[in-house]
Amino acid sequence: MGEEEVEAHQQQIPLLINLPLQLPPSPSSNGQYHKRTGNTWTATAHIITGVIGSGVLSLAWSTAQLGWIAGPLSMLIFAGITIISAFLLCDCYRSPQPETGHIRHPSYMEAVKYNLGRESIWVCGVFQQISLYGTAVAYTITSAISMRAIQKSNCYHKEGHQAPCTYGDSFYMLLFGAIQIVCSQIPDFRNMEWLSILASIMSFSYASIGFALGFAKVIGNRRVKGSISGVQTATIAQKVWKVSQALGDIAFAYPYSVILIEIQDTLKSPPPENQTMKKASMTAVLITTFFYLCCGCFGYAAFGDQTPGNLLTGFGFYEPYWLIDFANACIVLHLVGGYQVFSQPVFAVFEKWCAEKVPNSGFVNNSYTIKIPQLPVLRINLLRLCFRTCYVLSTTGLAMLFPYFNQVLGLLGALNFWPLTIYFPVQMYFVQRKIEPWTRNWIILQSFSFFCLLVSLIALVGSVEGLISERLS
């Protein structure tokens, strides 16, 4: 069967389940070839590292605001939205090209540029860089809270639960920043599979501990706390703000569209990259949804209206203190990898731009080898060293200025959920599949996009109000 016949046959297959083409390796849209060795499991590890992050710790609080029906249902709805978005985006990794048959797009922005043009790439670039940068800030905040929680847990164990045990976050943010300055010298995604696998193991560990502690506390209480309507507030307006912020937190916890194509570009072919990526996406979302429901529901069942904003650091749990310490240590180790997963695309965009602007600069393009006894050979690039160090310092400084966990997560989730997870993937899919306006598939996907826009706007308003209230209080 010729390639034209395969494409014609694909048009008969229902929306979102098109058969992938078996294609030979092709150049990326920047003309470069890279050795790609990734598979379903490495892609799943990258996704889980990016998805199960600090967002999972806020889901019990989100469930408490929404109640027993709306809370779990919201998580399932966002899981479904994430899978649909991921499947749309997977099919946008390759584009037909007369000369080479198909061309690969190594990044989200390259795919937008090729499919939607230069005007769209500026809008997409702003939202993508805000999303990635904001996630790095959120991870810095979360890691500091977890490191402080270890010290606080030990203090409570020694001094009693009524002891003040108050500690600041600044020192821990600076410590996390120092670690990230070192880790940021990893050249790109293809060199950090080991870090993603380690981070994935850590995420499973602390999510399992959060679920187990919640389950144990429910058994100890001998009843399930909470209600259908969720936490009661003094006014209807306050309830609306809290519900909106909870939706923003859930929106932050799920999507990974902003790094999906970067992950897909690490996959070997054959089998086709979109086929492998869809399997990895389905596996990762099912796993994360299971942990999210367990942590969110059992956390709410254990604490009811008193559910803390961060399940493992809000100190509903005090004992066994060593297990709390271990869980928070796992969070920190996971966030070390998660920070890199979300920061590497930012590094790649800036460094590629510099290389194109000044191709003859030694500062930009030359690498220097440093050999330290008993350690692997280090290759240092001066641009990479300077830019990435400044980037880490800026995220650390902003985290110290706005150390508000739930509010920051909600704002980031609401701000970037619709444009990056829904709008651009849908529009690129229209171009890829040549879907005409007002056809059945066009109406379905546009309705889907409009619904997600409304949810995003509601969550954005509530999260901004929460951040302003916290800053003024």
Side-chain angles (χ1 to χ4, degrees):
M1 183 182 292
E3 191 169 291
E4 293 81 8
E5 295 175 17
V6 173
E7 292 183 344
H9 176 67
Q10 281 189 310
Q11 299 301 319
Q12 303 172 9
I13 301 172
L15 182 68
L16 301 183
I17 54 172
N18 297 292
L19 290 175
L21 294 172
Q22 282 280 4
L23 294 168
S26 59
S28 63
S29 52
N30 58 15
Q32 296 178 337
Y33 290 85
H34 295 290
K35 184 178 180 181
R36 296 175 294 134
T37 59
N39 54 39
T40 303
W41 297 111
T42 60
T44 301
H46 282 316
I47 295 169
I48 291 174
T49 301
V51 176
I52 301 185
S54 55
V56 68
L57 303 174
S58 68
L59 292 178
W61 181 88
S62 298
T63 305
Q65 309 310 312
L66 294 165
W68 272 120
I69 295 178
L73 184 61
S74 295
M75 283 187 263
L76 292 174
I77 290 173
F78 274 97
I81 290 172
T82 302
I83 289 175
I84 293 172
S85 170
F87 277 32
L88 293 174
L89 204 51
C90 287
D91 289 335
C92 297
Y93 173 66
R94 285 184 182 265
S95 295
Q97 192 179 56
E99 297 83 6
T100 61
H102 280 75
I103 190 169
R104 293 187 293 107
H105 307 300
S107 68
Y108 188 102
M109 290 183 65
E110 290 283 352
V112 171
K113 179 182 178 181
Y114 188 92
N115 287 286
L116 302 179
R118 288 189 174 274
E119 292 181 1
S120 294
I121 197 175
W122 289 107
V123 179
C124 172
V126 169
F127 279 105
Q128 187 191 36
Q129 301 311 310
I130 289 174
S131 175
L132 296 170
Y133 185 84
T135 301
V137 174
Y139 279 15
T140 303
I141 295 171
T142 310
S143 65
I145 292 173
S146 294
M147 285 188 276
R148 183 188 64 184
I150 295 174
Q151 189 174 7
K152 203 170 182 180
S153 174
N154 292 336
C155 175
Y156 282 144
H157 179 70
K158 293 178 181 179
E159 307 294 337
H161 298 167
Q162 304 305 317
C165 296
T166 54
Y167 305 98
D169 291 326
S170 297
F171 171 77
Y172 301 110
M173 290 183 185
L174 291 172
L175 179 60
F176 184 79
I179 295 170
Q180 289 303 334
I181 287 175
V182 176
C183 291
S184 291
Q185 299 311 308
I186 297 173
D188 54 36
F189 259 123
R190 280 167 283 275
N191 299 98
M192 56 175 291
E193 288 180 356
W194 63 273
L195 186 58
S196 282
I197 292 171
L198 174 63
S200 296
I201 294 171
M202 294 299 101
S203 67
F204 281 129
S205 299
Y206 70 72
S208 299
I209 291 170
F211 155 55
L213 288 172
F215 180 76
K217 193 168 183 65
V218 171
I219 298 300
N221 293 338
R222 297 185 179 181
R223 69 187 184 95
V224 174
K225 295 184 178 181
S227 64
I228 293 177
S229 61
V231 175
Q232 300 300 312
T233 57
T235 65
I236 295 177
Q238 288 179 344
K239 182 66 176 178
V240 171
W241 299 137
K242 294 294 185 183
V243 167
S244 300
Q245 189 178 319
L247 291 174
D249 283 0
I250 298 174
F252 177 84
Y254 265 110
Y256 56 95
S257 300
V258 70
I259 57 172
L260 184 147
I261 289 184
E262 280 82 354
I263 295 173
Q264 193 167 342
D265 193 48
T266 67
L267 300 177
K268 61 184 177 183
S269 178
E273 301 93 347
N274 63 338
Q275 185 183 71
T276 303
M277 197 64 189
K278 287 178 181 179
K279 289 180 181 178
S281 295
M282 181 65 76
T283 301
V285 171
L286 289 176
I287 291 171
T288 54
T289 300
F290 171 77
F291 278 105
Y292 283 7
L293 287 171
C294 289
C295 289
C297 293
F298 279 105
Y300 182 39
F303 298 109
D305 288 357
Q306 305 305 315
T307 302
N310 186 322
L311 187 60
L312 288 175
T313 63
F315 287 95
F317 301 117
Y318 291 98
E319 299 292 344
Y321 81 99
W322 57 269
L323 187 60
I324 307 300
D325 288 355
F326 177 73
N328 281 294
C330 289
I331 292 171
V332 175
L333 288 174
H334 171 255
L335 294 180
V336 169
Y339 186 105
Q340 288 302 310
V341 165
F342 283 96
S343 296
Q344 285 292 339
V346 180
F347 301 156
V349 167
F350 179 79
E351 289 163 11
K352 178 188 172 186
W353 180 82
C354 289
E356 290 175 349
K357 292 297 181 182
V358 282
N360 299 319
S361 171
F363 178 81
V364 173
N365 298 295
N366 291 350
S367 295
Y368 303 92
T369 300
I370 299 176
K371 183 66 178 78
I372 301 175
Q374 309 304 320
L375 291 176
V377 174
L378 300 177
R379 289 181 173 83
I380 301 297
N381 173 271
L382 293 179
L383 172 67
R384 181 192 307 156
L385 178 64
C386 295
F387 170 69
R388 297 187 182 191
T389 299
C390 292
Y391 176 90
V392 173
L393 291 175
S394 68
T395 60
T396 304
L398 197 57
M400 294 170 68
L401 188 61
F402 292 98
Y404 312 119
F405 178 73
N406 292 92
Q407 293 78 13
V408 169
L409 296 193
L411 179 62
L412 290 172
L415 185 63
N416 297 294
F417 171 70
W418 180 73
L420 297 178
T421 304
I422 308 300
Y423 175 76
F424 285 112
V426 166
Q427 297 303 315
M428 286 192 288
Y429 190 82
F430 287 160
V431 173
Q432 287 275 321
R433 300 302 180 192
K434 298 179 172 60
I435 297 175
E436 296 295 329
W438 303 109
T439 58
R440 181 174 63 91
N441 288 345
W442 186 90
I443 293 172
I444 291 173
L445 285 174
Q446 289 288 32
S447 300
F448 167 70
S449 179
F450 182 71
F451 168 77
C452 293
L453 173 60
L454 292 179
V455 173
S456 191
L457 289 174
I458 292 170
L460 179 62
V461 171
S463 299
V464 169
E465 191 278 337
L467 189 63
I468 293 174
S469 298
E470 283 292 331
R471 187 62 178 166
L472 295 178
S473 62

